[in-house]
Amino acid sequence: PLSAEGLEASLAAERLVLDDAAERLAGSGLGPIVAALAPRSPLVIAGEGHARSVVALIEERLGRAGRPVTSVTTLDPGARARLDALAPSGGVLAIAIGGESRAAQAAIAAARAAGVPAAVLVDSTLNPLARSPLARVVPADARAGAPSLVAMVAVAQALAVALAPSARPDLTAVPA
């Protein structure tokens, strides 16, 4: 069982991760990603493995706001078909966490082939996708054998709010 001290230590570690992510994004921010993807429709959100929860969060938030989205979390024939059918008006948001980035890489390749904008959220500068022009690195510290997704989820939530159609007042950003 988790003790009160253990819980406090865990929460303190997550606060440090959030502070680090905020500091890293302070200069470049999410503005260029939002500017590139906001007018695009439909939006393809891709990621596998640990990134699936982040993909699902963004897909659910944007879908609930009425934004056309589709997700790609595998490279099965159906997923490949969705990538091959990427509309000229579409856009791609790829998410790569850990060593599992094949779906994200395939989505970026499809975006390049279709000539549509693509942005990347990645957890490490060592991932080749981190060199993409619209890439943002959101570190995911490994704990208990799996990456901590607290910072990535926080950034994903902020991005979902920014990309949601503004007609939904319940999804507007809360000022700091």
Side-chain angles (χ1 to χ4, degrees):
L2 186 62
S3 67
E5 293 82 20
L7 176 61
E8 184 57 38
S10 180
L11 291 174
E14 297 300 358
R15 278 187 219 103
L16 290 174
V17 170
L18 285 170
D19 289 344
D20 180 54
E23 187 176 313
R24 287 173 184 263
L25 292 173
S28 58
L30 297 176
I33 292 174
V34 172
L37 297 180
R40 311 305 290 192
S41 184
L43 186 60
V44 174
I45 306 163
E48 64 187 305
H50 293 293
R52 283 184 183 170
S53 58
V54 180
V55 169
L57 174 112
I58 297 171
E59 180 184 32
E60 185 272 333
R61 297 277 169 108
L62 293 179
R64 189 167 22 115
R67 174 122 192 221
V69 295
T70 188
S71 66
V72 172
T73 58
T74 67
L75 290 179
D76 65 19
R80 286 190 184 274
R82 286 193 302 280
L83 291 175
D84 291 341
L86 192 57
S89 62
V92 169
L93 175 60
I95 301 159
I97 299 172
E100 301 166 310
S101 62
R102 294 177 325 137
Q105 290 175 355
I108 296 298
R112 285 187 187 127
V116 301
V120 179
L121 295 179
V122 64
D123 72 329
S124 170
T125 57
L126 299 177
N127 188 308
L129 291 174
R131 292 188 294 273
S132 298
L134 284 176
R136 296 298 179 265
V137 176
V138 183
D141 294 339
R143 296 203 188 107
S148 167
L149 299 180
V150 169
M152 187 70 77
V153 166
V155 170
Q157 287 178 303
L159 197 52
V161 168
L163 291 172
S166 59
R168 291 285 308 267
D170 59 325
L171 292 178
T172 58
V174 176

